[in-house]
Amino acid sequence: LRILTILRMSVNQRILKYGDMLAETGLGSTRELEHIIIQSTQCGLLECRVDEARQEVFVNQMSGYHFTSEQYDYFLKSLQSWSESCSATLSSIQADVDNATSKIKK
């Protein structure tokens, strides 16, 4: 989701500021952000130059996916929904494990 968020931002802007990207992606540190940017470039999704001193990313080119803003929004909402569903499933499994553990201890 975070890579897609950065790609979506790249559609309208060629210079991305760290602060804006941190706010949009929900990441907690510049280190995490730089890791996501590196992943994006290694996957061939983003070609860019990072200026750590100015905390900016200069986008040269992004992947060949041609989505409209509405399609990006729909795709992001779908992935967020899937993520929430996975979290709920994980919570349910953890509750079952906790319940089974408490029964074993009795």
Side-chain angles (χ1 to χ4, degrees):
L1 285 175
R2 292 176 174 143
I3 291 174
L4 288 174
T5 300
I6 292 172
L7 290 177
R8 182 179 50 83
M9 292 176 73
S10 301
V11 170
N12 298 321
Q13 303 172 32
R14 290 298 176 199
I15 300 175
L16 304 174
K17 299 199 177 297
Y18 276 33
D20 295 339
M21 289 187 289
L22 286 169
E24 287 288 323
T25 60
L27 293 169
S29 71
T30 57
R31 184 181 186 117
E32 290 176 307
L33 177 62
E34 288 170 349
H35 179 72
I36 294 296
I37 293 167
I38 289 168
Q39 282 182 323
S40 300
T41 58
Q42 288 175 338
C43 292
L45 298 172
L46 190 65
E47 183 183 309
C48 63
R49 183 174 54 86
V50 176
D51 185 339
E52 293 177 25
R54 295 176 71 186
Q55 294 196 330
E56 294 178 333
V57 174
F58 299 91
V59 178
N60 297 323
Q61 184 177 350
M62 57 182 279
S63 75
Y65 297 109
H66 298 289
F67 293 118
T68 65
S69 294
E70 293 81 20
Q71 288 171 321
Y72 270 115
D73 291 340
Y74 174 78
F75 190 55
L76 286 174
K77 286 177 186 175
S78 296
L79 289 174
Q80 287 169 337
S81 175
W82 173 77
S83 177
E84 290 167 5
S85 174
C86 289
S87 293
T89 301
L90 182 59
S91 295
S92 176
I93 291 170
Q94 186 61 51
D96 289 345
V97 168
D98 292 344
N99 187 25
T101 302
S102 70
K103 287 182 180 179
I104 291 172
K105 289 182 180 179
K106 290 182 182 180

